[in-house]
Amino acid sequence: MVVVDNGSTDDTAAVVARWTDRLPDLRVVRHEPRGINGARNAGARAANGELLVYCDADDVATTGWLAAMVRASSKADLIGGYLDFTPLNSERVRMARSANPPDRLPIIMGFLPYAVGASMGVRTEVFQALGGFDESYTGGGGDDVEFSIRAQLMGCSVVFAPGAVMRYRLRERLWSLARQQMGYGRADAKLLRDFREHGLRADGTTKALAHWLKLVWRAPAIASPDRGRWVCHFAWRLGRLLGSAEQRVWCP
């Protein structure tokens, strides 16, 4: 097991040290500068197995998560598990975020499925052939989607592992959730720039305008229990517009 300390400010190193007697192969890799994809790549370089399995520091793997990943690796090159929002998050926070489907992998813009980085497995040889995660994705989203698309364009197979359940921790504050969604929207534009020649397509202007009109029409009701979902959806759409300007594409 490899724990990547990417500039943590808590007692991560001390917690890991308390487990070394029970997990003799447990190692800590310190990586700078800060950035999730650089950290993931550093962890892969330090690992020595045939299968790389990723999870995030603030989530909780259920019993059987790793075993389900290993079983699924006999069927595919890239594996995505299920993210369960229920145990670690309040109802208020869960209502603000759309959950991933429980019976399949999510699909990006109707194009290809992808494995979420917080619960992902990939054969080491495939990871190396792809050159790891693209560290130019620094805006807080899109990196796992980009990795999954490249893998499939290279001919790799991807599969959903329903038994690989990760208890996923959402951001507690609405403003933090909204910033995350804005990052996802900006990443959509970067993905469109990188993969439009392969068939990735965003909503057309008419459909996007209809979504914006619906958002504006629902704005007076944002004091309702749907407020969080409205704010996150607005932030995601706004992120797409900002990303369109940054990447010089049209991803409304």
Side-chain angles (χ1 to χ4, degrees):
M1 180 183 293
V2 178
V3 176
V4 181
D5 187 343
N6 190 212
S8 66
T9 57
D10 55 15
D11 59 347
T12 294
V15 170
V16 174
R18 292 198 294 268
W19 282 84
T20 53
D21 58 335
R22 284 171 283 182
L23 297 171
D25 293 328
L26 178 61
R27 287 174 290 158
V28 176
V29 174
R30 289 178 172 80
H31 175 75
E32 295 289 348
R34 297 184 69 174
I36 188 169
N37 295 309
R40 286 171 174 162
N41 290 338
R45 289 192 294 269
N48 54 21
E50 297 178 359
L51 178 68
L52 300 171
V53 181
Y54 285 94
C55 63
D56 292 344
D58 57 346
D59 301 330
V60 178
T62 59
T63 301
W65 173 77
L66 184 58
M69 283 285 186
V70 173
R71 286 195 301 270
S73 69
S74 66
K75 306 173 185 176
D77 303 303
L78 179 64
I79 308 103
Y82 173 62
L83 301 185
D84 185 0
F85 289 0
T86 303
L88 303 182
N89 305 287
S90 66
E91 182 179 5
R92 174 185 61 82
V93 173
R94 295 198 309 271
M95 288 181 65
R97 272 286 304 269
S98 298
N100 288 340
D103 56 350
R104 61 172 176 81
L105 293 174
I107 298 173
I108 180 68
M109 301 186 211
F111 182 49
L112 288 172
Y114 63 93
V116 179
S119 183
M120 172 191 283
V122 58
R123 291 181 179 276
T124 301
E125 61 182 357
V126 171
F127 186 92
Q128 293 172 344
L130 289 168
F133 286 91
D134 186 342
E135 296 182 28
S136 71
Y137 279 75
T138 59
D143 42 86
D144 44 10
V145 182
E146 192 275 343
F147 183 87
S148 297
I149 292 176
R150 276 194 293 128
Q152 290 170 90
L153 292 178
M154 194 176 74
C156 296
S157 55
V158 58
V159 70
F160 176 58
V165 179
M166 180 65 64
R167 293 174 179 169
Y168 186 78
R169 193 182 308 275
L170 298 169
R171 301 186 181 191
E172 182 65 27
R173 296 180 180 274
L174 180 56
W175 172 241
S176 183
L177 270 173
R179 283 199 308 170
Q180 184 182 48
Q181 292 300 305
M182 187 179 295
Y184 291 162
R186 293 172 69 182
D188 282 352
K190 184 170 171 58
L191 288 165
L192 181 62
R193 187 202 67 181
D194 290 348
F195 295 107
R196 57 185 169 180
E197 66 181 48
H198 297 284
L200 183 63
R201 297 287 182 269
D203 289 343
T205 301
T206 301
K207 187 174 181 179
L209 181 60
H211 283 297
W212 274 108
L213 290 174
K214 184 178 180 180
L215 275 172
V216 172
W217 179 74
R218 292 184 61 195
I222 61 174
S224 72
D226 290 335
R227 174 174 174 265
R229 187 177 294 272
W230 186 94
V231 170
C232 286
H233 194 175
F234 179 88
W236 173 66
R237 285 284 173 186
L238 180 60
R240 278 187 154 204
L241 293 180
L242 293 174
S244 294
E246 293 165 352
Q247 305 298 332
R248 298 186 179 182
V249 296
W250 183 229
C251 185

